[in-house]
């Protein structure tokens, strides 16, 4: 994944990411974590987020810290949908189970899939929905693409729209009851003041991932040059939903002025 895109899934190897646990004794966090960690926090009726461990994005010898966040949605039938699952533990599973039965697991884009298999092995009856670019990577036999008939079962609670930018594809979601837009990497809002070290702060700002703009990173913007129409239609859909809040996988969420934040992020004129 190119520098600045900052997906949360701990990919290893050149230009990939390896998980780094914030707060462990041998590694200090490079991005001051959002609190509380690994505890479901209610955002609205039937909607929670869970702040996950920091991951490290590695590229040509550089290590860039990145916070992670999972979204938990209680569906109309009382079961739970987990969007962009974070690193799994027995403790977080117990807290999630206290809310409801997990019935759907979602890997929303080409990068957010590494922790999916652990959750799928734990919750074997749950449907597993993946971005098309992640299907071959997850190693889960029952995984199906977002947009399939299985995915459409969410229609009573969630609208979804797939934005294909070539090498990068993401499905965005809209929780109608709470008017909440759920975005993974297409919008990021890192707070540079939380980064440990001036160089890390510089990289966040230079990569276009630092707030307050909440915009896509520079790599996604570059990818969109060849897919302007696809991105434009995706942004139009975000605006058409008229969300009241935006939950992001990375950085500070937007609890108000959501439509204005979308317009600012994607330079949409009023």
């Amino acid at each position: 994944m190119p520098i600045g895109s900052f997906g949360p899934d701990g990919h290893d190897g050149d230009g990939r990411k390896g998980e780094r646990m914030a707060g462990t004794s041998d590694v200090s966090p490079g991005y001051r974590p959002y609190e509380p960690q690994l505890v479901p926090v209610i955002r609205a009726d039937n909607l929670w987020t869970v702040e996950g461990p920091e991951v490290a994005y590695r590229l040509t010898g550089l290590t860039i810290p990145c916070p992670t966040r999972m979204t938990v949605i209680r569906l109309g039938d009382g079961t739970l949908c987990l969007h962009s699952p974070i690193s799994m533990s027995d403790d977080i599973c117990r807290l999630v189970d206290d809310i409801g039965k997990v019935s759907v697991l979602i890997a929303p884009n080409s990068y957010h899939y590494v922790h999916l298999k652990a959750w799928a092995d734990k919750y074997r009856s749950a449907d597993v929905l993946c971005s098309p670019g992640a299907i071959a990577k997850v190693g889960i036999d029952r995984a199906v693409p977002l947009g399939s008939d299985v995915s459409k079962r969410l229609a009573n609670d969630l609208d979804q729209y797939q934005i294909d930018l070539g090498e990068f594809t993401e499905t965005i979601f809209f929780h109608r009851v709470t008017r909440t837009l759920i975005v993974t990497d297409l919008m990021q809002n890192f707070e540079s003041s939380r980064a440990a070290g001036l160089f890390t702060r510089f990289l966040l700002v230079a990569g276009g991932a630092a707030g307050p703009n909440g915009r896509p990173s520079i790599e996604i913007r570059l990818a969109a040059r060849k897919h302007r129409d696809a991105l434009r239609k995706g942004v139009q859909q975000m605006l058409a939903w008229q969300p009241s809040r935006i939950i992001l996988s990375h950085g500070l969420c937007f609890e108000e002025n959501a439509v204005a934040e979308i317009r600012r992020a994607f330079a949409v004129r009023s």
Side-chain angles (χ1 to χ4, degrees), residues 226-243:
K226 297 181 179 180
H227 304 274
R228 294 181 187 275
D229 191 55
L231 182 60
R232 179 182 58 80
K233 290 179 179 178
V235 174
Q236 286 178 342
Q237 182 60 73
M238 293 184 202
L239 293 171
W241 280 330
Q242 289 289 296

Side-chain angles (χ1 to χ4, degrees), residues 126-137:
D127 291 330
V128 180
L129 308 177
C130 294
S131 179
I135 284 285
K137 303 174 184 177

Side-chain angles (χ1 to χ4, degrees), residues 40-57:
V41 173
I42 192 163
R43 293 280 183 170
D45 289 344
N46 300 315
L47 191 66
W48 297 257
T49 56
V50 184
E51 304 295 337
E54 177 183 299
V55 297
Y57 168 60

Side-chain angles (χ1 to χ4, degrees), residues 85-239:
I86 57 174
S87 180
M88 194 189 75
S89 69
D90 290 340
D91 287 343
I92 188 58
C93 286
R94 281 193 291 270
L95 293 171
V96 168
D97 291 342
D98 286 343
I99 298 173
K101 178 183 177 181
V102 175
S103 65
V104 182
L105 302 168
I106 295 178
N109 72 22
S110 307
Y111 306 125
H112 284 229
Y113 66 86
V114 167
H115 300 306
L116 194 68
K117 191 175 190 309
W119 288 86
D121 288 345
K122 171 73 173 179
Y123 297 101
R124 294 184 179 275
S125 65
D127 291 330
V128 180
L129 308 177
C130 294
S131 179
I135 284 285
K137 303 174 184 177
V138 297
I140 304 170
D141 290 340
R142 69 182 190 275
V144 297
L146 283 160
S148 66
D149 289 342
V150 175
S151 178
K152 292 174 183 176
R153 295 177 191 171
L154 299 174
N156 289 335
D157 301 278
L158 292 168
D159 292 328
Q160 55 187 289
Y161 187 89
Q162 184 172 292
I163 302 174
D164 186 349
L165 302 180
E167 293 184 1
F168 177 82
T169 300
E170 178 170 320
T171 299
I172 54 175
F173 294 86
F174 181 65
H175 187 232
R176 288 192 300 277
V177 173
T178 62
R179 293 180 58 207
T180 300
L181 176 65
I182 304 170
V183 184
T184 311
D185 285 334
L186 278 168
M187 290 180 70
Q188 302 167 3
N189 190 31
F190 289 93
E191 298 174 273
S192 58
S193 62
R194 286 180 172 267
L198 293 176
F199 185 61
T200 299
R201 294 179 188 179
F202 167 77
L203 290 175
L204 290 175
V205 173
N213 288 334
R215 58 181 176 166
S217 66
I218 189 170
E219 296 71 32
I220 294 176
R221 298 199 303 274
L222 289 174
R225 287 183 175 182
K226 297 181 179 180
H227 304 274
R228 294 181 187 275
D229 191 55
L231 182 60
R232 179 182 58 80
K233 290 179 179 178
V235 174
Q236 286 178 342
Q237 182 60 73
M238 293 184 202
L239 293 171

